[in-house]
Amino acid sequence: MSTPLMVLIAGPYRSGTGDDPELMAANLGRLEEAAWPLFRAGHVPMIGEWVALPVLRSAGATGVTDPLAEQVMYPTAERLLQHCDGVLRLPGESKGADQDVTIAREREIPVWHRLEDVPGCG
């Protein structure tokens, strides 16, 4: 790759967990599994929760169920998409990830559904 792409990795984080911290951590782990292959291909992997969760903590929120989370979680991904060159949409039901895909398509940012389809990863 001559020019690295910043790729937002989108998929389930909170969805289907019943807000169980262990299940959310497992979902984050699944998102993070795509980070190394993207990085190895010369890209910059990004996950919205990597930014949103520290922002929430620094704002004094008690977690993703705190009312403040609504002002941070989805808006963080939307702001990140102003800087991302593509979205890797991983499998699984996720309102937030679906919203990321919608925003990406509106902005004509490529959306890939398989790691192998990201330039340099195939």
Side-chain angles (χ1 to χ4, degrees):
M1 291 287 340
S2 56
T3 303
L5 303 175
M6 183 177 291
V7 179
L8 182 69
I9 303 167
Y13 170 64
R14 189 175 170 194
S15 298
T17 66
D19 295 328
D20 180 315
E22 289 183 21
L23 295 176
M24 288 188 289
N27 279 347
L28 183 56
R30 280 189 284 285
L31 294 171
E32 290 175 342
E33 287 174 7
W36 172 244
L38 288 168
F39 187 82
R40 185 179 57 218
H43 303 308
V44 178
M46 178 55 62
I47 297 173
E49 286 76 13
W50 287 347
V51 178
L53 294 173
V55 169
L56 259 182
R57 282 191 297 273
S58 70
T62 57
V64 296
T65 59
D66 190 291
L68 190 57
E70 216 173 285
Q71 298 174 42
V72 175
M73 299 301 285
Y74 293 146
T76 295
E78 186 172 354
R79 291 179 191 186
L80 282 170
L81 282 165
Q82 293 178 12
H83 304 281
C84 289
D85 304 299
V87 173
L88 175 59
R89 174 57 165 102
L90 298 180
E93 188 176 321
S94 171
K95 177 183 169 186
D98 290 344
Q99 185 176 318
D100 296 342
V101 168
T102 298
I103 292 168
R105 289 191 172 134
E106 287 170 358
R107 295 181 182 172
E108 299 182 356
I109 298 169
V111 175
W112 304 285
H113 293 273
R114 299 178 329 140
L115 189 59
E116 307 80 62
D117 295 333
V118 178
C121 292

